Structures are given as structure tokens and as C-alpha cells.
Amino acid sequence: MPKEEITPCEWQIMEVLWACGEPLTSSEVCKRMQGTVGMSMRMVRVLMNRLSQKEILGYTVDERDSRVYHYYVLRSREECVKEKSRKFVDSYFSGNGTNAMAALLQSFALTDEQIGELEEILEKSKGRGTNPPDPKGEPHV
């Protein structure tokens, strides 16, 4: 589990790596972000180093040039979204998932298709709340 939450700028870097699905150097990440974000090459390197310290990215050193690092994802987008969602619910709704869902649902107009998708998600989640909590705080899946 990461020591700190992923910042919005770090999230943009992670989106590039998740979309690519293979290790990238900081230069390659920067090139893929060009035009979408105003981050310098130095800032991208700093943020990728922070993500590595948070154990969200790993890296290998290039065989031909020890100054070049190839970064790869250690945590999936889904894992990070779940963590960010839990922290959001804890911060703004005192951990009450029902209040958080109600607030979000009341904030958007939903199509019949979206309502159907939500009903499927709710149906799948039935019974998960009956298991005792995991000692590490991890939800049962």
C-alpha cells in the first residue's frame, strides 16, 4: 500500500503508463504527454521518482546506459482508483459509503443504461458486506 496518495500530476503520468502497458523511460512518458500537460522533463523525472518511492512504479536500469531507467507499473489503475475512492469516502463522508454513493448519484442525470449498470454492480456486491472485515482492512472480493 502506498505511503501517500497519488497527486493529480502523478496520476497523469500513471495514465500514460497504464495506457501503454509496457515499461517506458521518463523521456518516453514526457513525449507521450506533450501537448496535453505543461510539465517539464525534469518535473516528469521527479514525479516518476516519487511514484517509485510510493511503490506504485518499479524500474530497471538500462543495460547499455546506466543513466536510463525503464519504469513499469506495480499497481493497476483499478487498485489505485479503489484506494483513491476509499480515501475520498473516508475524508468527505466519514467512511459512509452509502452517503457517498447517494451524493454522487444525486449529482448526475443517469440514462436507463447507466442505471442498469449500477443495478448490476449492486447485485454483484450483495453479500460482500456480510463477511467479517479483513485484519489488513482489505475488502473481500
Side-chain angles (χ1 to χ4, degrees), residues 16 43 69:
V16 170
M43 178 57 80
Y69 291 29

Side-chain angles (χ1 to χ4, degrees), residues 13-127:
I13 289 169
M14 290 305 300
E15 289 287 2
V16 170
L17 287 156
W18 286 321
C20 179
E22 62 185 47
L24 295 174
T25 65
S26 55
S27 296
E28 292 168 330
V29 169
C30 200
K31 284 177 190 168
R32 290 175 189 239
M33 292 175 68
Q34 261 181 344
T36 60
V37 198
M39 263 191 253
S40 69
M41 182 63 195
R42 179 166 160 49
M43 178 57 80
V44 170
R45 276 195 215 108
V46 166
L47 293 174
M48 291 179 79
N49 185 44
R50 286 184 189 163
L51 286 163
S52 179
Q53 290 171 352
K54 293 177 184 183
E55 298 178 357
I56 296 167
L57 288 182
Y59 64 87
T60 57
V61 179
D62 191 277
E63 294 174 359
R64 291 163 284 182
D65 186 346
S66 62
R67 297 171 297 169
V68 177
Y69 291 29
H70 298 271
Y71 290 89
Y72 55 90
V73 173
L74 292 174
R75 298 187 65 215
S76 71
R77 187 177 195 285
E78 292 75 24
E79 289 175 277
C80 293
V81 166
K82 283 181 184 179
E83 179 67 24
K84 202 164 194 59
S85 299
R86 277 193 292 271
K87 287 184 179 189
F88 174 78
V89 172
D90 289 345
S91 295
Y92 295 99
F93 297 94
S94 301
N96 187 319
T98 303
N99 288 346
M101 292 298 107
L104 288 171
L105 289 171
Q106 292 168 2
S107 300
F108 300 98
L110 299 172
T111 65
D112 288 341
E113 182 181 338
Q114 291 169 325
I115 291 169
E117 288 174 23
L118 288 171
E119 287 171 342
E120 285 178 30
I121 291 168
L122 287 171
E123 193 60 39
K124 287 178 185 174
S125 70
K126 281 185 182 177

